[in-house]
Amino acid sequence: MRVAGAEEQKMNADNPSREVILGRIRDALGAAPAPAPAPCAYSSIFDPIANPLERFQQECAANLMECLLSSDEASSTQHLATALSSLPAGEIFAQDDPILRRLLTSAAVAQQMRWSSEGAPAESSQATISRCEALIAQTGSIFVTAACGGRGASIVAPVHIVYATASQLVPDLETALTNATRNQTLSRGSFACVISGSSRTADIEKILVEGAHGPRRLVVIVQL
Amino acid sequence: MSAASQFLLDAGVKSADITHREIIRKGVENYWAGHMKGRQRIRDWEAARQRCQETKQEAVSNLHRYLLQFEAGVHSRGGHVFWAANSAEACEYIRALAVSRGVKTVVKSKSMVTEEIQLAPVLEREGIAVWETDLGEYIVQLRHEPPYHIVTPAMHLNRDQIAELFKKKIEPALATNDPVELVAVARRALRKAFFSAEMGISGANFIVADAGAIAISTNEGNGRLCTSVPRIHVCVTGIEKVIPRLADLAVLWPVLATSGTGQPITTYSTLISGPRQPGEADGPEEFHVVLVDNGRSELLANEEQREVLHCIRCGACLNVCPVFRHIGGHSYGTIYPGPIGSVLTPHLRGPEFDHLAYASSLCGACTSVCPVKINLHRHLLHNRRDSVEDWNVGTGVSPAQPARGVEARRPRGKFSERLGFKLWRFAMLHPGVYGFGARMGKRSLRLLYALGLRGSLLDPMRNWNRRRAPVPLPGKSFRAMWRKGLR
């Protein structure tokens, strides 16, 4: 017979089915199960990635994302200014981050700015700018967390611009997720997302249409 | 009408609907081309399936441990976990929550479990507006239909039908059937809902034990908005969705996407571990996870069929099933259609759905594509056996414990069926009787067809002949040919 702690007793009192379901599961499974077999190596399932940056660029193209390489901060600023200059009038939301503040100041952005420290992006935001936790070469993905300007930063506006450095590039999903486990990414924040392209749907006759509910354009500036 | 008779009727009508068959054929062909291209991207597809199977097996064999680990993680960040034994408990928890928080509008992202527990009508009875925000789900909601397919809910409609629907229900001025414009119409309509809703309801593709997080895969981004903008987020999911480790997703995510749509990975592979934390820019103030049992723990007790709980709901078995392709998703009369639905539904909803075990040619296509290697056609055979065997009178030779109440079982083979098999057995043991019967049968059929009654109510081959080109009756029987030296 298991002895429930005080907290667990309270949980069971609020939710009587909890102990019923757990009891049924324990009865169904019986004694301790056999140990799990050793999983086969990730490299035998997926091809190892020889050149992560090249692979990342290829996958970005396949995901209909724009990947812009820059040699230094000045060139990143230039990319940022170009991307923003083509936008219609309206507010721009950015993750409140010292480097992004510096870049956006030198880019001399004409639009009204809103920073993540002031809360969620407005529904009418024309673009959002954020950093990321990692870039994943295997799938051409950007890995963002709540710390990258919050949840709305990567979904609310029609354009999402990500500023990253080449040092953030990891070869594959396994590396990205193992790092996230080690860094306790989901204990320190409430959200993370592997984003692999612009928002899309194929629900009508399986025809791909971009810009369903999220960004139509996803731009990644990778500073080497 | 019983579920079985309704099924035969609907399946008969649908399989003769040429437009429907054309739409499904196109959809499935596109799927298959994309899926096979996706498989090429994975070095060893079989190893990937093997790994996914092992991961799910490990999770399901330690279900309570991993669920408790997940629960502790969610609690530590101020989230709530509610355990619901059945649909009624799950719906009541969410209804009471919505009412107590003054919720007027709910936005939903795609979740088969919310269909299973029939959540939307419960909320609508409280005067709460419920918006399905996945495009396919939104389309079938406007048509007051259940989802046709677990991944592509509006697979049975072409762009003309969808344009007509949107014109009638959303934008009377709509003058095009261009998919780009149709998506824009839905986006405009749903955008308002996203930003006025107080509650977002999502499902979960996985429950990650070590991270204490739910994982949601979406392409449109509707799942992202549902879980970012409203002030309350409720995730409704089945207890079997658990996986041990975050890193397991490094294989599960690509395999789910490849099996579901042929993509390398779904556009937004999202992880949520709690409500908005201090210092975060946005996110819901409340995070509730409703863990639904609803028959799953009983299936867990059935060792023979436990692996059915490994299902990750990718929909691959539907796409490749020749029966699904002919009768369509709605004919099944179940929430989960296709092979996985035929296996699962009798366990979730009882013997009324035993007939679905026969909605299969046992070709095994489903088993061959299943990304977690569920032996689907074998389980259909198990269900057939269970549906006719009498567990009360057995002498202990039954190979497995029945999943459902033993007392409830009675011999359920039809009298006519049992008589038929008795006569068949007799004839097979008496060649003279068999030969006489075959000759008489052939003669009467010949007479019947000469009278022009092929396919009529008198024709014992009516089910075949009424809609198909006739199969000519052979001149000589096999037995006659055998005697004349075929051997």
Side-chain angles (χ1 to χ4, degrees):
Chain A
M1 181 73 198
R2 283 164 20 94
V3 182
E7 197 185 337
E8 193 162 358
Q9 274 173 4
K10 187 186 172 304
M11 281 195 279
N12 290 337
D14 292 346
N15 182 186
S17 289
R18 181 178 182 275
E19 202 45 44
V20 175
I21 295 170
L22 283 168
R24 276 195 221 150
I25 295 173
R26 286 190 191 102
D27 290 347
L29 292 174
C40 63
Y42 198 67
S43 59
S44 66
I45 299 175
F46 296 97
D47 283 316
I49 289 160
N51 184 337
L53 186 61
E54 195 183 302
R55 174 69 178 260
F56 182 73
Q57 288 176 285
Q58 284 167 5
E59 296 299 330
C60 280
N63 287 342
L64 310 172
M65 295 155 64
E66 297 164 47
C67 176
L68 308 170
L69 298 187
S70 79
S71 47
D72 51 20
E73 251 188 58
S75 130
S76 299
T77 307
Q78 192 56 48
H79 282 312
L80 202 53
T82 314
L84 293 174
S85 66
S86 59
L87 293 177
E91 198 174 81
I92 297 202
F93 175 90
Q95 175 189 346
D96 198 346
D97 168 85
I99 297 175
L100 285 183
R101 274 196 183 255
R102 199 165 67 220
L103 288 173
L104 285 161
T105 310
S106 11
V109 180
Q111 291 98 330
Q112 174 78 32
M113 292 292 309
R114 184 185 170 87
W115 298 95
S116 61
S117 49
E118 302 164 55
E123 186 200 336
S124 57
S125 304
Q126 286 304 324
T128 54
I129 303 163
S130 76
R131 303 195 60 188
C132 65
E133 183 81 16
L135 300 174
I136 304 166
Q138 180 189 19
T139 46
S141 312
I142 52 172
F143 185 49
V144 295
T145 65
C148 308
R151 300 187 191 191
S154 53
I155 196 71
V156 167
V159 179
H160 179 203
I161 302 168
V162 179
Y163 169 74
T165 59
S167 62
Q168 290 182 291
L169 187 63
V170 298
D172 52 31
L173 282 165
E174 193 181 44
T175 313
L177 293 171
T178 307
N179 289 348
T181 304
R182 196 184 52 233
N183 300 337
Q184 296 188 303
T185 304
L186 286 153
S187 304
R188 292 187 297 142
S190 66
F191 160 85
C193 188
V194 175
I195 302 176
S196 315
S198 51
S199 157
R200 64 196 54 193
T201 180
D203 271 357
I204 300 174
E205 295 187 6
K206 300 244 173 199
I207 296 163
L208 189 71
V209 177
E210 278 189 276
H213 295 291
R216 277 188 199 93
R217 253 186 98 192
L218 177 56
V219 183
V220 193
I221 300 169
V222 184
Q223 191 173 307
L224 300 173
Chain B
M1 190 183 281
S2 73
S5 321
Q6 187 68 50
F7 170 73
L8 285 177
L9 195 70
D10 293 346
V13 171
K14 266 298 170 210
S15 55
D17 179 341
I18 303 295
T19 316
H20 171 262
R21 283 172 65 158
E22 189 53 25
I23 293 172
I24 300 313
R25 189 184 60 78
K26 248 196 227 163
V28 166
E29 273 175 13
N30 286 342
Y31 163 80
W32 190 248
H35 171 64
M36 289 313 280
K37 215 174 121 195
R39 270 199 209 178
Q40 303 305 315
R41 302 174 49 97
I42 295 175
R43 181 188 210 170
D44 189 342
W45 175 247
E46 285 310 312
R49 291 175 76 206
Q50 178 79 26
R51 170 86 169 254
C52 292
Q53 181 197 29
E54 286 166 4
T55 302
K56 286 299 296 188
Q57 189 168 7
E58 183 192 350
V60 167
S61 338
N62 292 282
L63 197 56
H64 52 302
R65 297 183 190 93
Y66 287 128
L67 286 171
L68 288 170
Q69 190 186 3
F70 165 77
E71 182 187 49
V74 171
H75 279 162
S76 70
R77 286 174 290 278
H80 305 270
V81 177
F82 181 79
W83 304 63
N86 51 41
S87 305
E89 284 185 18
C91 289
E92 176 50 28
Y93 178 78
I94 301 162
R95 188 201 66 80
L97 181 70
V99 169
S100 73
R101 305 296 195 271
V103 171
K104 299 274 177 290
T105 305
V106 165
V107 279
K108 267 191 74 228
S109 69
K110 193 164 168 29
S111 152
M112 290 308 296
V113 179
T114 58
E115 297 288 337
E116 177 188 327
I117 64 172
Q118 291 289 293
L119 176 62
V122 173
L123 296 175
E124 280 160 354
R125 273 198 292 279
E126 295 289 341
I128 297 168
V130 179
W131 293 76
E132 290 290 348
T133 63
D134 172 84
L135 179 59
E137 289 283 350
Y138 181 51
I139 292 167
V140 296
Q141 187 188 32
L142 289 175
R143 285 170 60 94
H144 305 289
E145 268 178 354
Y148 177 92
H149 184 289
I150 60 180
V151 174
T152 39
M155 188 183 184
H156 58 307
L157 301 171
N158 60 29
R159 64 180 84 180
D160 298 330
Q161 292 164 312
I162 296 165
E164 197 53 41
L165 175 75
F166 280 11
K167 205 171 148 178
K168 209 164 81 189
K169 301 270 173 125
I170 321 171
E171 288 196 5
L174 186 69
T176 171
N177 65 357
D178 178 12
V180 175
E181 193 47 45
L182 295 176
V183 172
V185 170
R187 178 185 161 113
R188 281 195 293 275
L190 291 169
R191 189 101 179 147
K192 285 183 219 125
F194 281 125
F195 286 88
S196 61
E198 300 88 359
M199 180 184 274
I201 298 178
S202 76
N205 294 89
F206 303 101
I207 300 170
V208 189
D210 72 346
I214 58 160
I216 309 174
S217 297
T218 90
N219 281 317
E220 296 175 12
N222 62 314
R224 293 285 318 280
L225 285 171
C226 285
T227 58
S228 298
V229 181
R231 84 172 182 262
I232 305 161
H233 172 202
V234 180
C235 166
V236 188
T237 190
I239 52 173
E240 84 286 11
K241 294 283 174 71
V242 82
I243 56 168
R245 292 160 298 268
L246 189 62
D248 293 328
L249 292 170
V251 182
L252 283 165
W253 268 341
V255 166
L256 172 63
T258 303
S259 296
T261 59
Q263 289 170 286
I265 186 169
T266 312
T267 308
Y268 298 103
S269 301
T270 310
L271 297 158
I272 294 169
S273 58
R276 175 185 187 172
Q277 300 295 294
E280 290 182 0
D282 56 7
E285 292 151 27
E286 289 185 48
F287 175 55
H288 300 257
V289 180
V290 180
L291 297 174
V292 179
D293 180 339
N294 211 24
R296 288 164 175 80
S297 56
E298 273 179 65
L299 191 50
L300 187 72
N302 181 342
E303 256 183 82
E304 190 179 57
Q305 294 204 49
R306 180 178 293 165
E307 68 160 2
V308 174
L309 294 171
H310 297 179
C311 175
I312 57 173
R313 307 280 189 265
C314 68
C317 63
L318 282 61
N319 297 332
V320 299
C321 177
V323 174
F324 179 88
R325 293 207 301 240
H326 286 82
I327 70 172
H330 287 149
S331 302
Y332 290 84
T334 58
I335 301 302
Y336 304 98
I340 184 64
S342 297
V343 171
L344 200 56
T345 308
H347 294 286
L348 299 182
R349 291 173 68 182
E352 200 196 337
F353 290 90
D354 279 350
H355 62 278
L356 291 178
Y358 298 88
S360 166
S361 62
L362 299 178
C363 69
C366 46
T367 304
S368 76
V369 294
C370 178
V372 289
K373 297 178 80 167
I374 300 173
N375 203 340
L376 284 155
H377 68 295
R378 188 83 205 155
H379 294 302
L380 287 169
L381 274 176
H382 292 149
N383 281 0
R384 287 187 189 187
R385 178 201 64 208
D386 291 358
S387 73
V388 291
E389 236 164 62
D390 177 15
W391 295 95
N392 284 329
V393 209
T395 48
V397 287
S398 300
Q401 281 298 304
R404 287 165 277 151
V406 174
E407 304 74 21
R409 288 199 166 268
R410 298 186 312 278
R412 278 189 289 109
K414 273 186 256 167
F415 173 72
S416 59
E417 222 167 58
R418 291 204 304 267
L419 181 70
F421 277 112
K422 275 214 179 95
L423 290 175
W424 179 253
R425 183 172 188 274
F426 183 77
M428 291 305 280
L429 292 172
H430 300 84
V433 174
Y434 179 88
F436 178 73
R439 279 197 302 279
M440 291 309 291
K442 200 162 71 183
R443 271 179 207 173
S444 33
L445 277 183
R446 218 168 250 147
L447 178 67
L448 201 69
Y449 294 171
L451 291 170
L453 292 171
R454 188 192 292 275
S456 74
L457 279 170
L458 291 173
D459 183 359
M461 307 295 285
R462 175 177 151 80
N463 274 344
W464 179 271
N465 282 334
R466 66 181 166 156
R467 289 206 183 100
R468 293 175 183 84
V471 180
L473 290 169
K476 266 190 202 136
S477 71
F478 176 75
R479 297 174 80 238
M481 286 193 278
W482 187 260
R483 270 198 304 270
K484 284 256 167 68
L486 181 70
R487 74 182 108 184

